């Protein structure tokens, strides 16, 4: 088993049961400058960690180690530099520069280095948007290919799969960019209630179950574009051992992560807009009840991100101040949901529900039961605190590997969840509405809210007056 790398199935790499932080010492490990505690790798110099990544004729690193190190190494060294060092060490150790290659030896080593490169391209495809990365990859394979014809074929498969993946990802990104641009223009234009936007959510989709499923579609589609490395790159600081530059001198590569946070905000505002828009109290109450049902379905599906966005939208002041409207709503169901997402005890209730969903996902037989869409900004906050709370390096300059095992556990679980295929049929009409329906700005929401139910006190009256003059041009 040790000799041959296992074939890659991305799920086994990340699921908590397949994710074993117990990285056993390899034969080289004990003298290789790696520090272990109770059989777990806790710290090492960057060089020792790079050495531990490199396969030999009779050693292949553990899956959990590969993921953890590739994820966290970018805090210390850029991916292209890491790959360059890996290739150089392989050339040295396997004597790939010798005029006559030791074929028997390279046939033992070849499948392993190919496996490592495959895992890297499958898990961190965005790293390979860089020409230099592809260069190192091809160079490595060209050196071993003379020993076995099959290596050429393997390289072509690897590059084809990578190109396909990158094409899919960039296609998705373009779509999201187009939508975001269209939406931001609309924010400004619809500050009041023009008749042109009387096409409201209930005329597009009146079934809460369907809407919850379509929201889940949008969530999974957007999640699929987020690379695991974005979680680390969001928090890149200067590396203390290299005072000259941050590791990512280029812009932080976190665009998909940011686009996803924007989607959450859009959904909050869309919910608030839909509630404040109708002129009649009865209709507003109907929209609130509809969204409560949608939120409940999201909870049942395991889509906690849409659930939280809907609750947040309903809790925005312009909505929560509509006392007469809320008096017509059966609020018991709403309070149950709110209780689930209550921030008390560091979101204790939500975290319990999330663990339940994660557990269900592990034992699931259908994609329907596999869905876990975490409340995203809390996930980012957790990762942020983990990152802030522990140093990347220990006082002796060693990499704090214990920290990165914990980081890899959190990110790895997320990667498993984002790979779930959406089991629901897509309704392009509803999805288009969710992305393009005009939404009020905060001022627009307040104005709509005051127009629906008059101001209660002097502060509200003054605000209404000023909004009427700035937005409607009325005095």
């Amino acid at each position: 088993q040790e000799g041959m790398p296992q074939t890659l199935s991305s799920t086994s790499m990340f699921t908590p049961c397949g994710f074993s932080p117990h990285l056993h010492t390899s034969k080289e490990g004990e003298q290789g400058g790696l520090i272990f505690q109770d059989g777990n790798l806790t710290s090492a110099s960057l060089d020792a960690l790079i050495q531990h990544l490199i396969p030999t004729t009779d050693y292949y690193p553990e899956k959990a180690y590969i993921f953890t190190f590739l994820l966290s190494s970018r805090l210390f060294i850029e991916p292209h530099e890491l790959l360059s060092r890996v290739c150089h060490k392989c050339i040295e150790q396997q004597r790939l520069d010798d005029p006559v290659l030791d074929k028997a030896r390279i046939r033992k080593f070849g499948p392993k280095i190919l496996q490592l490169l495959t895992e890297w391209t499958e898990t961190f495809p965005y790293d390979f948007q860089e020409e230099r990365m592809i260069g190192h990859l091809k160079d490595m394979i060209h050196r071993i290919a003379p020993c076995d014809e099959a290596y050429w074929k393997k390289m072509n498969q690897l590059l084809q799969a990578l190109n396909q993946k990158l094409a899919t990802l960039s296609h998705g990104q373009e779509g999201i960019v187009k939508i975001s641009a269209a939406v931001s223009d609309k924010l400004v234009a619809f500050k009041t209630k023009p008749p042109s936007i009387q096409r409201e959510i209930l005329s597009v989709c009146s079934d809460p179950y369907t809407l919850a499923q379509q929201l889940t579609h949008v969530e999974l589609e957007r999640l699929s574009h987020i690379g695991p490395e974005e979680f680390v790159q969001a928090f890149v600081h200067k590396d203390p051992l290299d005072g000259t530059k941050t590791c990512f001198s280029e812009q932080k590569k976190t665009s998909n992560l940011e686009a996803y946070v924007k989607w959450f905000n859009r959904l909050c505002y869309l919910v608030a807009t839909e509630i404040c828009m109708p002129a009649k109290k009865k209709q507003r109450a109907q929209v609130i009840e509809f969204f409560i049902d949608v939120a409940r379905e999201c909870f049942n599906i395991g889509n906690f991100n849409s659930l939280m966005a809907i609750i947040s939208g309903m809790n925005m002041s312009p909505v929560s101040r509509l006392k007469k409207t809320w008096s017509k709503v059966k609020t018991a169901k709403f309070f149950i949901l709110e209780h689930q997402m209550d921030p008390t005890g560091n979101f204790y209730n939500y975290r319990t529900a999330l663990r339940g969903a994660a557990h269900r996902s592990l034992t699931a037989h259908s994609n329907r039961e596999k869905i876990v869409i975490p409340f995203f900004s809390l996930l980012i906050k957790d990762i942020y605190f983990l990152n802030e709370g522990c140093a990347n390096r220990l006082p002796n300059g060693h990499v704090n590997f214990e920290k990165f095992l914990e980081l890899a556990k959190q990110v790895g679980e997320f990667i498993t969840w984002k790979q779930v295929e959406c089991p629901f049929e897509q309704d392009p009409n509803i999805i288009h509405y969710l992305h393009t329906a005009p939404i009020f700005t905060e001022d627009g929401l307040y104005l709509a809210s005051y127009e629906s139910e008059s101001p209660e006190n002097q502060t509200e009256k003054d605000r209404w007056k000023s909004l009427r003059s700035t937005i409607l041009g009325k005095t």
Side-chain angles (χ1 to χ4, degrees):
Q1 177 62 42
E2 209 15 351
M4 228 359 242
Q6 316 87 353
T7 50
L8 182 77
S9 89
S10 46
T11 44
S12 68
M13 175 141 102
F14 307 114
T15 44
C17 58
F19 185 97
S20 95
H22 306 293
L23 301 167
H24 313 293
T25 43
S26 69
K27 290 182 280 294
E28 290 111 316
E30 278 139 5
Q31 347 105 49
L34 302 169
I35 312 294
F36 288 86
Q37 215 178 342
D38 308 325
N40 295 329
L41 175 54
T42 54
S43 73
S45 68
L46 187 58
D47 284 340
L49 291 170
I50 293 173
Q51 186 59 57
H52 197 53
L53 181 71
I54 293 172
T56 63
T57 51
D58 56 2
Y59 163 73
Y60 189 76
E62 285 201 12
K63 231 179 194 99
Y65 177 76
I66 296 172
F67 177 64
T68 304
F69 185 60
L70 289 181
L71 178 71
S72 53
S73 61
R74 59 200 68 240
L75 289 166
F76 309 99
I77 178 173
E78 290 195 36
H80 72 87
E81 215 176 311
L82 175 61
L83 185 54
S84 161
R85 283 174 65 174
V86 167
C87 291
H88 281 300
K89 286 200 164 167
C90 288
I91 292 166
E92 225 172 83
Q93 287 166 15
Q94 304 303 324
R95 301 200 286 281
L96 297 178
D97 269 342
D98 288 6
V100 178
L101 295 175
D102 176 347
K103 286 196 175 181
R105 180 192 174 117
I106 287 169
R107 283 208 183 101
K108 276 175 151 179
F109 165 74
K112 299 203 178 82
I113 188 67
L114 283 166
Q115 172 72 10
L116 181 69
L117 294 170
T118 304
E119 287 195 38
W120 195 335
T121 55
E122 288 193 351
T123 318
F124 299 94
Y126 288 123
D127 284 354
F128 292 86
Q129 281 172 317
E130 255 195 274
E131 277 306 307
R132 287 181 284 192
M133 291 291 283
I134 301 285
H136 294 314
L137 188 121
K138 285 182 174 168
D139 174 62
M140 192 67 232
I141 296 169
H142 280 260
R143 286 169 185 275
I144 59 171
C147 299
D148 193 330
E149 281 294 293
Y151 297 163
W152 291 115
K153 193 176 158 197
K154 186 77 182 141
M155 173 170 87
N156 286 326
Q157 285 171 336
L158 188 155
L159 290 172
Q160 252 177 323
L162 178 63
N163 283 332
Q164 209 174 348
K165 198 155 187 179
L166 286 172
T168 314
L169 290 168
S170 74
H171 175 70
Q173 275 174 306
E174 281 159 26
I176 285 174
V177 171
K178 274 199 203 102
I179 286 169
S180 306
V183 168
S184 56
D185 301 343
K186 288 206 166 132
L187 254 177
V188 191
F190 296 97
K191 283 182 168 165
T192 172
K193 298 185 181 177
S196 61
I197 61 166
Q198 284 311 326
R199 181 170 176 240
E200 74 296 342
I201 188 80
L202 288 168
S203 68
V204 180
C205 175
S206 57
D207 174 35
Y209 195 70
T210 307
L211 187 61
Q213 294 186 347
Q214 296 310 305
L215 284 167
T216 304
H217 242 294
V218 175
E219 299 278 352
L220 285 170
E221 159 70 19
R222 285 176 168 251
L223 280 183
S224 69
H225 298 125
I226 298 174
E229 70 284 355
E230 293 193 42
F231 290 101
V232 175
Q233 281 154 202
F235 309 122
V236 166
H237 296 307
K238 278 192 162 59
D239 182 6
L241 288 197
D242 178 13
T244 51
K245 59 178 175 69
T246 56
C247 297
F248 279 82
S249 31
E250 319 115 86
Q251 97 294 8
K252 286 188 186 166
K253 303 173 179 170
T254 52
S255 52
N256 301 298
L257 200 134
E258 286 159 30
Y260 188 54
V261 173
K262 278 192 185 131
W263 150 253
F264 178 90
N265 294 337
R266 170 169 172 82
L267 183 53
C268 292
Y269 273 84
L270 181 65
V271 168
T273 300
E274 294 285 345
I275 295 170
C276 292
M277 224 167 35
K280 292 194 170 63
K281 180 168 63 195
K282 193 176 153 192
Q283 286 171 306
R284 290 194 298 275
Q286 194 190 351
V287 176
I288 290 177
E289 293 200 330
F290 172 70
F291 275 120
I292 292 171
D293 290 339
V294 175
R296 194 169 62 166
E297 285 309 329
C298 287
F299 181 83
N300 294 338
I301 289 171
N303 177 357
F304 298 105
N305 203 51
S306 293
L307 164 67
M308 197 60 174
I310 294 170
I311 291 175
S312 306
M314 291 180 162
N315 279 329
M316 285 173 83
S317 312
V319 178
S320 60
R321 69 168 290 283
L322 299 171
K323 306 272 189 305
K324 293 177 186 142
T325 304
W326 280 94
S327 71
K328 296 243 172 274
V329 174
K330 299 185 196 71
T331 47
K333 285 190 292 191
F334 181 62
F335 294 139
I336 291 170
L337 287 172
E338 242 191 344
H339 178 66
Q340 282 295 348
M341 303 309 274
D342 179 8
T344 323
N346 192 9
F347 288 92
Y348 179 80
N349 297 344
Y350 158 69
R351 289 180 192 278
T352 309
L354 180 70
R355 290 268 63 81
H359 186 72
R360 178 196 66 194
S361 178
L362 276 180
T363 53
H365 298 297
S366 69
N367 274 350
R368 174 72 186 70
E369 296 168 325
K370 278 196 184 113
I371 298 170
V372 184
I373 301 168
F375 168 30
F376 195 63
S377 50
L378 188 62
L379 176 71
I380 292 183
K381 203 167 112 183
D382 287 347
I383 289 174
Y384 174 78
F385 281 121
L386 170 66
N387 192 61
E388 289 297 301
C390 316
N392 290 339
R393 289 197 190 257
L394 303 174
N396 64 359
H398 271 194
V399 170
N400 182 1
F401 203 73
E402 229 172 337
K403 166 181 176 171
F404 296 120
L405 278 170
E406 186 50 45
L407 185 72
K409 205 163 106 187
Q410 293 194 13
V411 176
E413 197 170 29
F414 168 78
I415 300 299
T416 311
W417 296 334
K418 90 180 182 93
Q419 286 170 342
V420 175
E421 288 279 313
C422 191
F424 309 120
E425 192 135 343
Q426 200 173 1
D427 183 322
N429 196 15
I430 299 174
I431 287 183
H432 181 75
Y433 184 87
L434 288 170
H435 280 128
T436 58
I439 50 180
F440 291 142
T441 56
E442 196 175 350
D443 280 350
L445 282 173
Y446 270 109
L447 179 62
S449 178
Y450 296 141
E451 301 272 320
S452 300
E453 292 187 20
S454 309
E456 298 269 293
N457 54 40
Q458 201 49 49
T459 321
E460 287 195 345
K461 280 182 187 148
D462 294 343
R463 182 157 193 189
W464 188 25
K465 222 166 161 176
S466 101
L467 288 173
R468 287 190 69 133
S469 71
T470 52
I471 295 177
L472 302 180
K474 291 180 181 165
T475 45

